[in-house]
């Protein structure tokens, strides 16, 4: 984009709007704004009171069959990030990561043909999206052998990655990114969320479907003063459950196991407590969690009535 004028010393031309390198897709338009400025540095009216401007725009037609790159899902979501209220926040514990927080952020997404049936938990550093089903798939034991070893594999691991996975549409299966889930142990009543996250990530399992971790649940809360670690959450659970969209009025499993007893795993209780339950013999509801590939694009606004849709 070149602006050429007749060099009137009193008049300055500048442009904004479209810039060099922009792509204008077929059927769309781009706007070039030209600002005409009478310079305040000129102390007297010049004899030449006119100036002619020529704007030259060179362009290159995209090659036949090529499609201009679209905004990635991660970029679209990051563009909505907030610093207050419900919404997407920069993760203060893992650099380059973003997490949804609040009582009801606009993070609904349609997946597996289920309109607004899932919620986006986070935007990962590699552009993948971690999502969780918004409704339970039923009450199940974590592991029938009473072991909190997810990689054994646990009973629930086997079910999610076989029986449940096979109920998904072929399109949905193709959109899933096999991922390394942090499944490390969590200490009871700890007040160090950064240390807890490090412990969770110290042991990983790679697969298609798992559950949210205890730290996923805690990081979804906007009330940092009262709810920002396990100890605070369990002290103020009646308050904390009101500012966390991942709370549901039932017992729900997490993928995080208890560090001090191999027969116990953590669950979010129906009153908002995050506590341990026996892996076998105790049934809790299951909300599958998985990662979407980084090359997807999204339309929609993330509300329940206008959820994000994978294009």
């Amino acid at each position: 984009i070149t602006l050429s004028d007749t060099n009137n010393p009193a008049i300055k031309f500048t442009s904004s709007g479209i810039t060099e390198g922009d792509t204008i897709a077929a059927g769309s338009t781009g706007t070039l704004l030209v600002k005409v400025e009478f310079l305040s540095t000129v102390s007297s009216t010049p004899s030449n009171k006119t100036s002619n401007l020529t704007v030259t725009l060179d362009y290159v037609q995209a090659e036949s069959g090529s499609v201009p790159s679209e905004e990635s899902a991660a970029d679209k979501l990051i563009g909505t990030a907030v610093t207050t209220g419900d919404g997407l926040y920069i993760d203060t514990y893992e650099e380059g990561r973003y997490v949804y927080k609040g009582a009801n952020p606009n993070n609904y997404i349609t997946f597996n043909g289920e309109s607004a049936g899932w919620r986006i938990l986070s935007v990962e550093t590699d552009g993948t999206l971690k999502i969780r089903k918004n409704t339970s798939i039923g009450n199940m034991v974590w592991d029938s052998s009473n072991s909190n070893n997810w990689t054994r594999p646990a009973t629930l691991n086997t079910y999610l990655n076989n029986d449940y996975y096979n109920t998904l549409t072929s399109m949905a299966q193709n959109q899933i990114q096999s991922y390394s889930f942090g499944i490390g142990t969590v200490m009871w009543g700890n007040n160090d969320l950064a240390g807890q996250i490090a412990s969770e990530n110290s042991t990983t399992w790679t697969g298609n479907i798992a559950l949210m971790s205890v730290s996923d649940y805690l990081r979804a809360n906007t009330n940092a003063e009262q709810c920002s670690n396990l100890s605070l959450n369990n002290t103020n659970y009646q308050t904390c459950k009101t500012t966390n969209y991942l709370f549901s009025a039932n017992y729900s499993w997490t993928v995080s196991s208890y560090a001090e007893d191999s027969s116990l795993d953590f669950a979010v209780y129906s009153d908002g407590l995050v506590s341990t339950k026996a892996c076998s013999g105790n049934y809790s509801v299951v909300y599958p969690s998985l990662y979407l590939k980084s090359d997807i694009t999204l339309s929609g606004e993330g509300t329940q009535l206008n959820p994000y849709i994978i294009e």
Side-chain angles (χ1 to χ4, degrees), residues 55-68:
V55 180
T56 303
L57 297 95
D58 294 326
Y59 70 93
V60 176
Q61 179 73 31
E63 294 181 10
S64 178
S66 67
V67 179

Side-chain angles (χ1 to χ4, degrees), residues 103 119 132-136 139 212 217 237-238 240-242 244-253 267-273 277 283-287:
R119 306 292 288 266
R132 192 191 82 148
K133 190 170 168 60
N134 202 38
T135 55
S136 163
N139 286 280
M212 71 172 178
Y217 181 79
Y237 63 93
Q238 293 286 7
C240 293
K241 68 181 181 182
T242 65
N244 192 331
Y245 71 96
L246 290 175
F247 169 76
S248 59
N250 48 46
Y251 291 83
S252 55
W253 287 121
V268 179
Y269 279 43
S270 58
D271 57 5
L273 279 169
K277 290 190 72 178
Y283 286 76
S284 290
V285 299
V286 175
Y287 296 94

Side-chain angles (χ1 to χ4, degrees), residues 85-285:
D86 291 0
L88 185 66
Y89 284 74
I90 295 174
D91 189 352
T92 55
Y93 297 97
E94 295 179 79
E95 186 176 356
R97 190 172 183 268
Y98 291 76
V99 294
Y100 277 99
K101 297 174 178 284
N104 190 28
N106 292 332
N107 62 343
Y108 289 91
I109 186 170
T110 295
F111 173 73
N112 192 43
E114 301 165 57
S115 180
W118 296 66
R119 306 292 288 266
I120 303 171
L121 274 65
S122 58
V123 180
E124 303 299 322
T125 57
D126 59 3
T128 55
L129 308 183
K130 189 174 188 179
I131 66 173
R132 192 191 82 148
K133 190 170 168 60
N134 202 38
T135 55
S136 163
I137 61 170
N139 286 280
M140 303 178 191
V141 296
W142 203 90
D143 188 70
S144 59
S145 70
N146 211 33
S147 165
N148 67 13
N149 183 358
W150 183 260
T151 63
R152 193 186 54 83
T155 307
L156 194 49
N157 181 344
T158 300
Y159 175 79
L160 289 175
N161 289 279
N162 290 277
D163 297 41
Y164 178 72
Y165 178 82
N166 291 331
T167 68
L168 303 178
T169 67
S170 57
M171 180 180 293
Q173 291 177 2
N174 189 53
Q175 291 164 344
I176 295 175
Q177 176 66 59
S178 179
Y179 213 81
S180 179
F181 290 80
I183 60 167
T185 59
V186 172
M187 294 289 294
W188 169 257
N190 76 81
N191 59 6
D192 177 15
L193 184 54
Q196 177 189 313
I197 293 168
S199 177
E200 289 177 357
N201 291 337
S202 66
T203 304
T204 60
W205 167 83
T206 300
N208 290 322
I209 306 175
L211 305 166
M212 71 172 178
S213 65
V214 171
S215 67
D216 282 332
Y217 181 79
L218 296 174
R219 281 189 274 192
N221 208 307
T222 47
N223 187 346
E225 182 178 354
Q226 294 180 285
C227 314
S228 58
N229 60 56
L230 187 57
S231 177
L232 283 172
N233 181 89
N234 287 352
T235 299
N236 306 300
Y237 63 93
Q238 293 286 7
T239 297
C240 293
K241 68 181 181 182
T242 65
T243 49
N244 192 331
Y245 71 96
L246 290 175
F247 169 76
S248 59
N250 48 46
Y251 291 83
S252 55
W253 287 121
T254 75
V255 76
S256 304
S257 54
Y258 182 34
E260 299 172 53
D261 190 331
S262 61
S263 68
L264 301 178
D265 190 80
F266 278 92
V268 179
Y269 279 43
S270 58
D271 57 5
L273 279 169
V274 180
S275 190
T276 56
K277 290 190 72 178
C279 297
S280 175
N282 280 277
Y283 286 76
S284 290
V285 299

